[in-house]
Amino acid sequence: MVTFIFVTIWLPNFMRRDVFQAIADPIRRDIISLLAKEMLTVNAIAENFDISRPAVSKHLKILRECGIITINKQGREQLCQIEPKNLVPAFLWIDQYRELWEQKLDSFEAYLNDLQSKTQENGKNKSNK
Amino acid sequence: MVTFIFVTIWLPNFMRRDVFQAIADPIRRDIISLLAKEMLTVNAIAENFDISRPAVSKHLKILRECGIITINKQGREQLCQIEPKNLVPAFLWIDQYRELWEQKLDSFEAYLNDLQSKTQENGKNKSNK
DNA sequence: TATAAACGTAACCATTTGGTTACACAAATA
DNA sequence: TATTTGTGTAACCAAATGGTTACGTTTATA
């Protein structure tokens, strides 16, 4: 006899979180920008925003779950540090389309050049008339 | 007499939408990836996903509002086209931290090299003993 | 001309998000 | 030792998100 057991796995939210979600929020992007300059405690980060400290704590939790920051306990303070390499996946994703937009921008420049040369030719014709 | 008039401006949601929000959703990233290869109609895009066509329409609306795609009406079909240059702001934001992670990766490599050379020296010492 | 196809959108729903206040607790300080 | 400081988290809430079905409209086709 063969028995099949079906299991529904409940995936907690933070498992579904990724770097794209992390940088989707402007406050989290600002936190990243702050930590890019220096390590900061939770309170020092919170001073830069109008939202409550617990709200900042939540953002930090998300950033930590995505690996974008690490937190070191120093006495009663929590020192937050950026882990920039974990931004790389997002960078690579966008970077794969770089060729696409550069190509488009090239053709835009080509279009501009073309336009310019045609205008010059027009000018020539006019002056020749 | 001076009169002050205070006006509260109601900002509709889509005004707050930006490219970071656009690429936060995995389905929207997949749509971008599809459109990077070729122009597609709405139905053609929807065929690639398990969600309903109206759900895809909503995603396309968001992508269009962020300028990441443009839509051209061709008879009764809507041809979607990627506008890759509007990914550039997101690229530039992440790119500003590139130096940071490259520096970190360099020091990681340096750390690895250091470790390796030390191990080799250890080996030397052992063989010299 | 009646029907089918290719959409957009309204109305609705459950879940997620991002904020708040209140509270607990460990570590520093008086 | 009592108090203050730094922080995490629970409980709660409104709004946003992402999905659905139902329906309307325009365009192509039988």
Side-chain angles (χ1 to χ4, degrees), chain A residues 24-61:
Chain A
D25 186 276
I27 289 200
R28 287 196 289 271
R29 287 201 300 279
D30 286 346
I31 292 176
I32 290 173
S33 148
L34 284 171
L35 293 178
K37 291 177 215 126
E38 52 182 337
M39 292 166 67
L40 289 172
T41 65
V42 175
N43 271 342
I45 292 170
E47 277 168 16
N48 293 275
F49 302 97
D50 283 336
I51 60 176
S52 68
R53 191 203 34 83
V56 172
S57 261
K58 279 190 179 184
H59 284 300
L60 292 176
K61 193 178 183 184

Side-chain angles (χ1 to χ4, degrees), chain B residues 81-92:
Chain B
Q81 184 177 6
I82 196 172
E83 215 60 59
K85 71 174 181 302
N86 289 320
L87 288 170
V88 174
F91 174 82
L92 290 178

